[in-house]
Amino acid sequence: MGKSIKVRLADEKDLDRSLTRLAHEILERNKGAGNLVLVGIRSRGVPLSERIAEKIREIEGKKVPVGILDVSLYRDDFKYKQPVVRVTDLPFTIDNQNIVLVDDVLYTGRTVRSALNAIMDYGRPARIQLAVLVDRGHRELPIKPDFVGKNVPTSVGEEVRVKVKEVDGEEGIWLLEA
């Protein structure tokens, strides 16, 4: 049984405004772009982290390194399926860096827990922060984002779907209903 669109929550311009605000908040909290790296969680966290990095470059005039993190092997919800593992690419040391993990939607917290486990296998950062485009609630783990583009309270039967051009060919945030 598929899900039907209940409402469109954001279009391309709304997404861009949220990412601009996230970039400003990240810079403010970290007192600039020094010692800062962004790590996008596959798959939509990657283009979102690249966009935030570009906005930081426009604001600060400094290029912030961006990495890609695949958390497939760290998931605890692949009981019966073999996970599809993709490349993790962290072309910089994470030791003593302020890392901002970037993802599209925060729901139960399990993806973020997996990302934390994965990132620690690569070194010891000074700090790890979490930026999400959408926080929809319903946490199963004690995980709270540091930066949120949009809070969208949902019921259990609803789903938040983020689409970005780089992955989906279109742009926006939708609330779906069973």
Side-chain angles (χ1 to χ4, degrees):
M1 176 148 80
K3 299 206 177 224
S4 62
I5 295 174
K6 187 173 180 180
V7 66
R8 184 172 187 164
L9 300 170
D11 62 17
E12 189 171 351
K13 287 183 180 180
D14 297 326
L15 232 79
D16 189 60
R17 278 191 291 275
S18 289
L19 293 174
T20 298
R21 185 172 40 76
L22 286 171
H24 280 284
E25 290 176 6
I26 289 167
L27 287 169
E28 184 177 337
R29 174 96 41 97
N30 289 282
K31 296 176 176 55
N35 217 35
L36 184 66
V37 297
L38 301 178
V39 176
I41 300 172
R42 281 201 188 272
S43 61
R44 287 165 191 83
V46 174
L48 293 174
S49 64
E50 290 166 347
R51 291 184 196 183
I52 292 170
E54 177 57 25
K55 291 187 178 298
I56 288 173
R57 188 195 61 72
E58 291 169 5
I59 297 163
E60 289 281 301
K62 181 174 192 245
K63 188 175 187 317
V64 175
V66 178
I68 298 169
L69 188 64
D70 181 68
V71 300
S72 300
L73 290 177
Y74 295 86
R75 299 292 306 222
D76 63 357
D77 52 0
F78 283 116
K79 294 188 189 309
Y80 303 105
K81 294 192 307 186
Q82 184 69 25
V84 175
V85 180
R86 297 188 200 107
V87 174
T88 288
D89 182 19
L90 300 173
F92 44 77
T93 181
I94 66 164
D95 292 330
N96 300 312
Q97 298 293 313
N98 292 324
I99 294 178
V100 178
L101 288 174
V102 180
D103 204 6
D104 58 347
V105 178
L106 178 57
Y107 180 39
T108 62
R110 293 190 176 280
T111 299
V112 175
R113 184 211 46 89
S114 301
L116 291 170
N117 288 343
I119 206 81
M120 296 310 278
D121 281 349
Y122 287 90
R124 184 168 166 77
R127 177 189 310 169
I128 301 175
Q129 298 168 332
L130 176 61
V132 296
L133 186 60
V134 177
D135 182 354
R136 63 166 288 196
H138 303 283
R139 224 69 84 236
E140 294 174 2
L141 300 171
I143 291 175
K144 182 179 179 202
D146 299 281
F147 312 101
V148 178
K150 185 181 253 341
N151 284 293
V152 180
T154 62
S155 67
V156 176
E158 295 173 322
E159 177 185 330
V160 173
R161 178 141 328 137
V162 172
K163 291 189 177 185
V164 292
K165 286 182 182 172
E166 298 91 335
V167 176
D168 307 294
E170 65 178 315
E171 196 95 346
I173 303 172
W174 290 265
L175 182 62
L176 307 177
E177 182 167 51

